[in-house]
Amino acid sequence: GVVVRAMAADPAERFPDMAAFAGALRHSRGQVPFRTSSRRGWMAGVAVAVAVAIGAAWMASRETGRTVTSAAETIAVLPFSASGPGVEFLGEGMVDLLATNFSGVGGIRTVDPRAVIRRWGGRGGGGADRLRQALVIGRDLGAGSVVMGSVVSAGGRVRLAADLYSTAGDQLGRAQVDGPADSVLQLVDRMSVILLRDVWRSREPLPNLDLASLTTDSLAALRAFLEGERLYRRLSFDSAIAAYTRATEVDSTFALAQLRRALVYGWTGGHGSDSSRAASAAGARFAERLSPRHRRLLQSYSLFERSKPASVDSARAFVAQYPDDLEGWFLLGEALYHTREYAGATPDSVMMPFDTVLRRDSALVPAAIHPMELALRYRDRARFDRYLSVFRRAATPGEVTAVRTGGALVWGPQPTDSQLGAALAANPGPIVFAVHSIYSRDDATSDTVVRYFGRLQPSGPQGREFASEVLAVRADVLAGLGRVEEAGLLADSLAAIAPAEAGRRFRWPIVLGMAPDPRDSARIDSLARSQPDGSMAEYVQAVIGLSRGQVGAVRRRLADRLRVPDTSAADAIGRGQLTTVLGLADLMAGDSALGLRRLEEGLEAAAAPRSRGPTTFIRFQQALALSSGQATRREGIQRLRHSFDSEPLFLPLSYLALGQAYEAAGESDSAAFAYGRFLRLWDKADPVFQDRIVEARDALQRLTAEPRQ
């Protein structure tokens, strides 16, 4: 009929002009019932009303270009008042439901529900006072209008009522709907359309909203989901996971609840865990039920969950498309932080997304944790204090004490050994970051570094549990400082309690040319032979081959190996590692373009949760190659500066490489600084490494015209 033709998807099938449309509408106006008990009939009635509104506003919309009334272009949905049995969850829940329906329709932006709920707090009251509070909050949040309303249940039925006001106080729309208690989602859809109709200014038909298809058809699942949202906002992550899990047990196709489970598992330390991957995969299977925004977020999270560097670009694209989505900004910060070793993300670039979140929702405490760690590592006292003030709002006293102890390690007064041991037992993260900050102290020498790392000794049962890890880290620290003979003694002690770990610790110093003793070389051969069959054994053999100059043989062997297709996820990671070694072989053979391309491809494929270690040596070689080329030097410098800040074996050598890169770039002051820091850190290096020390001293003399000492 007239309405169907007016709403046709193909413009050629619509009326040729407004006169033709108005004539047809006048002719048929009495033939279409407005009130009907069926949803389809009701929607037809809405469509006619929308068509009339379109006709009335067509000329204005041509001039203004607006789809909705200007005040309604940014909407803050406030918590509804809820009364009666079984609807208490809809008080805050309406914020999510209506925001989901409105967001993106006709270009409407909705204020993030978390920001609204945090700002609203526990406000009560009604009438003029409630409206006055709502308008103030709407203005504070940058909204042009606010929605407020009520949910009432009685006798198995539910009534929803809502008012839409501009933040100047003008009423823009009003809606009231009622129906059976098990049709809440359909009622929300109906109310959304009525409110949109009141502010619609476009000549295009009003979009069809179907919240049920975006979330779930089950009221029980919806109730559990909205309870999860409430707990999630209050940082009760374990309880939130339990609520989301209940929602998915009721409706396993509830994609949004599956996505939330995956996200919250990541926040509770389960990043990349079987549970997180299963939830993410379930969300992906039913992604067609998600809104376009949540589908995009799921794509970005799936990359992040697998620790892929591409997750950064994906999250950046997401926040560019949805700049008000705090989950997107949080995910961008997480992706930058957890993949910073691949691209050398600067501390400022990592902190920026988290700061964006905290500006809008300062109660989201996890957004302060990683920036606080980086502030410790890079000795930024002002930022550390600011993030700590957020962290302590929700952290346990023991966790706060551990963070304060980390700050004392960096800025003083120095904690006692017992204080440090207790802090390590409560929360080792900030202590480890604080200890790593020693490398950036101007007065740091190899002895001060060794002394700081020597204090990493958890007390009690945890100390015994991590004894091998502590020894292994100290061995890396000593080797990275050029004190390989001392590192060997620690590795011998480590061999008594963790033989496999001891073998791995010998591998990289030898490959880096830092342990030329034939006895150690034989030990490396033994290590390679001890690897179980598979890609890791091939990887170790190939790296050792390159360290011995067998470039051509390694290239041929790896090229043949990679021609054989593999299909499993584990094989993909192994193939990625082999591709990185082939890229390194290409570099050593003089093909920089091919080598760098293969390195990038291989590192992306090899990236996986908790698998950073095997690629560190390759990433270091990649950074060296990038810093040596004029076109790629800036990228290489950034990676050398920030990709190895938690890698004691490689960090001192990165200063030598930075000196060379800055000198080649003509940045004499930066080069002199880097050479000087390398020399201070290698002040007690083994005699066999004097060639590197002489190289750095000669360079420093060239740059500063200071006499050699």
Side-chain angles (χ1 to χ4, degrees):
V2 175
V3 173
V4 173
R5 183 176 176 186
M7 298 173 68
D10 185 351
E13 297 179 8
R14 301 175 192 156
F15 292 98
D17 52 40
M18 287 304 297
F21 172 71
L25 187 61
R26 284 194 299 271
H27 177 72
S28 63
R29 183 169 294 159
Q31 301 176 16
V32 182
F34 183 76
R35 294 189 178 274
T36 175
S37 60
S38 72
R39 181 176 176 87
R40 179 177 298 177
W42 183 88
M43 284 302 296
V46 170
V48 171
V50 170
V52 173
I54 291 171
W58 182 67
M59 289 303 295
S61 68
R62 288 187 64 189
E63 294 176 1
T64 65
R66 297 187 185 281
T67 304
V68 295
T69 301
S70 59
E73 290 178 340
T74 305
I75 298 176
V77 182
L78 299 174
F80 278 38
S81 63
S83 61
V87 295
E88 62 283 350
F89 71 99
L90 285 174
E92 292 185 2
M94 290 300 296
V95 182
D96 293 280
L97 297 177
L98 284 177
T100 297
N101 263 359
F102 290 150
S103 183
V105 175
I108 291 174
R109 293 169 56 246
T110 54
V111 178
D112 187 276
R114 284 177 301 189
V116 173
I117 292 171
R118 177 181 60 84
R119 186 69 176 80
W120 181 256
R123 286 178 173 80
D129 184 56
R130 187 178 179 88
L131 174 59
R132 185 164 50 253
Q133 294 178 64
L135 297 179
V136 170
I137 290 173
R139 288 191 290 269
D140 289 348
L141 293 172
S145 58
V146 297
V147 175
M148 53 189 301
S150 62
V151 183
V152 179
S153 71
R157 296 184 67 81
V158 173
R159 172 173 294 174
L160 306 180
D163 292 289
L164 176 64
Y165 289 93
S166 75
T167 51
D170 300 322
Q171 185 162 27
L172 305 178
R174 169 171 288 178
Q176 180 173 299
V177 296
D178 64 82
D182 61 357
S183 63
V184 168
L185 298 180
Q186 289 80 3
L187 295 177
V188 175
D189 287 347
R190 286 172 53 190
M191 189 168 69
S192 302
V193 173
I194 294 171
L195 291 174
L196 285 171
R197 183 183 63 198
D198 288 340
V199 296
W200 199 251
R201 295 293 179 267
S202 172
R203 63 192 178 102
E204 296 300 320
L206 193 67
N208 179 31
L209 302 177
D210 189 359
L211 186 65
S213 70
L214 298 177
T215 52
T216 179
D217 296 317
S218 166
L219 185 61
L222 176 64
R223 180 180 287 108
F225 172 77
L226 292 176
E227 174 66 7
E229 292 289 270
R230 186 183 69 82
L231 294 164
Y232 168 70
R233 291 185 180 111
R234 287 158 176 75
L235 310 182
S236 299
F237 295 134
D238 291 339
S239 298
I241 289 174
Y244 292 135
T245 300
R246 288 197 302 274
T248 60
E249 288 171 347
V250 174
D251 182 358
S252 62
T253 69
F254 196 169
L256 189 55
Q258 298 284 13
L259 173 58
R260 280 289 196 275
R261 286 180 71 220
L263 288 170
V264 179
Y265 274 126
W267 288 18
T268 58
H271 169 62
S273 67
D274 291 343
S275 298
S276 179
R277 287 198 302 271
S280 180
R285 283 198 302 275
F286 305 108
E288 73 280 357
R289 306 195 73 192
L290 292 170
S291 67
R293 176 171 66 90
H294 284 110
R295 282 200 296 272
R296 283 282 294 104
L297 186 64
L298 177 62
Q299 292 168 3
S300 298
Y301 184 80
S302 295
L303 289 169
F304 167 69
E305 180 185 57
R306 291 177 285 140
S307 296
K308 298 300 182 184
S311 63
V312 172
D313 290 337
S314 179
R316 278 204 181 105
F318 179 86
V319 297
Q321 187 174 2
Y322 303 103
D324 295 325
D325 193 297
L326 296 189
E327 289 175 17
W329 283 106
F330 187 94
L331 182 58
L332 175 58
E334 289 283 299
L336 283 164
Y337 179 85
H338 287 287
T339 66
R340 68 191 189 283
E341 66 268 18
Y342 290 97
T346 66
D348 285 347
S349 70
V350 177
M351 291 174 177
M352 185 276 290
F354 291 120
D355 286 341
T356 300
V357 173
L358 291 171
R359 278 196 300 272
R360 303 179 190 178
D361 188 356
S362 61
L364 200 60
V365 174
I369 294 174
H370 292 326
M372 185 171 63
E373 292 170 340
L374 290 176
L376 274 174
R377 170 62 185 85
Y378 287 94
R379 311 177 71 82
D380 188 333
R381 182 63 182 268
R383 278 176 162 165
F384 172 77
D385 289 341
R386 178 158 55 88
Y387 295 126
L388 176 58
S389 70
V390 175
F391 178 74
R392 67 187 181 192
R393 295 174 191 165
T396 66
E399 290 171 333
V400 173
T401 298
V403 173
R404 291 189 184 280
T405 303
L409 264 177
V410 177
W411 295 290
Q414 289 298 306
T416 65
D417 288 343
S418 61
Q419 290 172 329
L420 197 57
L424 281 165
N427 186 10
I431 307 303
V432 172
F433 274 87
V435 169
H436 277 90
S437 77
I438 185 63
Y439 287 99
S440 57
R441 272 180 47 171
D442 290 338
D443 61 348
T445 65
S446 65
D447 279 343
T448 57
V449 171
V450 170
R451 186 165 59 251
Y452 260 68
F453 275 90
R455 302 195 70 190
L456 282 178
Q457 184 59 62
S459 59
Q462 196 171 21
R464 293 191 295 273
E465 180 182 348
F466 292 110
S468 61
E469 185 175 340
V470 168
L471 282 174
V473 169
R474 290 179 186 171
D476 274 355
V477 169
L478 285 165
L481 296 167
R483 295 163 62 165
V484 176
E485 290 184 8
E486 293 176 71
L489 295 176
L490 277 182
D492 287 339
S493 300
L494 180 61
I497 57 176
E501 183 66 23
R504 285 192 291 271
R505 295 294 153 174
F506 274 108
R507 181 171 73 219
W508 299 120
I510 294 175
V511 171
L512 286 166
M514 296 170 62
D517 190 322
R519 178 188 60 190
D520 290 336
S521 183
R523 193 176 303 186
I524 280 293
D525 289 336
S526 174
L527 171 68
R529 288 192 299 270
S530 70
Q531 295 291 325
D533 291 339
S535 57
M536 180 53 69
E538 295 175 292
Y539 176 79
V540 172
Q541 291 280 13
V543 170
I544 293 172
L546 291 182
S547 72
R548 292 172 172 169
Q550 301 164 5
V551 178
V554 169
R555 288 184 87 189
R556 289 189 296 272
R557 186 167 72 248
L558 289 179
D560 291 341
R561 167 68 177 82
L562 291 169
R563 289 192 187 98
V564 179
D566 289 324
T567 56
S568 72
D571 284 337
I573 294 171
R575 287 175 66 85
Q577 291 174 340
L578 295 179
T579 301
T580 64
V581 186
L582 181 55
L584 179 56
D586 293 331
L587 288 176
M588 296 175 70
D591 194 338
S592 298
L594 178 61
L596 288 173
R597 185 168 69 250
R598 278 183 170 153
L599 282 171
E600 198 73 25
E601 293 172 357
L603 287 169
E604 178 73 35
R610 295 175 290 277
S611 66
R612 183 181 64 185
T615 65
T616 307
F617 168 72
I618 298 293
R619 288 187 288 103
F620 190 69
Q621 302 306 312
Q622 179 192 38
L624 292 177
L626 288 167
S627 66
S628 66
Q630 184 174 356
T632 57
R633 183 167 292 128
R634 186 53 51 190
E635 181 182 358
I637 287 173
Q638 179 167 316
R639 296 193 186 201
L640 287 169
R641 287 186 62 192
H642 301 295
S643 291
F644 307 97
D645 59 8
S646 59
E647 300 285 353
L649 181 59
F650 295 85
L651 183 55
L653 285 175
S654 72
Y655 286 117
L656 176 60
L658 278 169
Q660 296 164 341
Y662 279 128
E663 187 175 7
E667 299 179 35
S668 300
D669 290 344
S670 296
F673 177 85
Y675 283 130
R677 179 151 289 175
F678 169 74
L679 288 170
R680 285 192 297 276
L681 291 173
W682 270 47
D683 60 342
K684 292 188 177 179
D686 296 345
V688 71
F689 302 129
Q690 288 306 304
D691 57 337
R692 302 187 191 191
I693 295 172
V694 169
E695 176 187 356
R697 283 178 175 167
D698 288 345
L700 191 59
Q701 183 181 21
R702 285 195 307 272
L703 294 167
T704 63
E706 294 179 355
R708 291 181 56 178
Q709 297 180 355

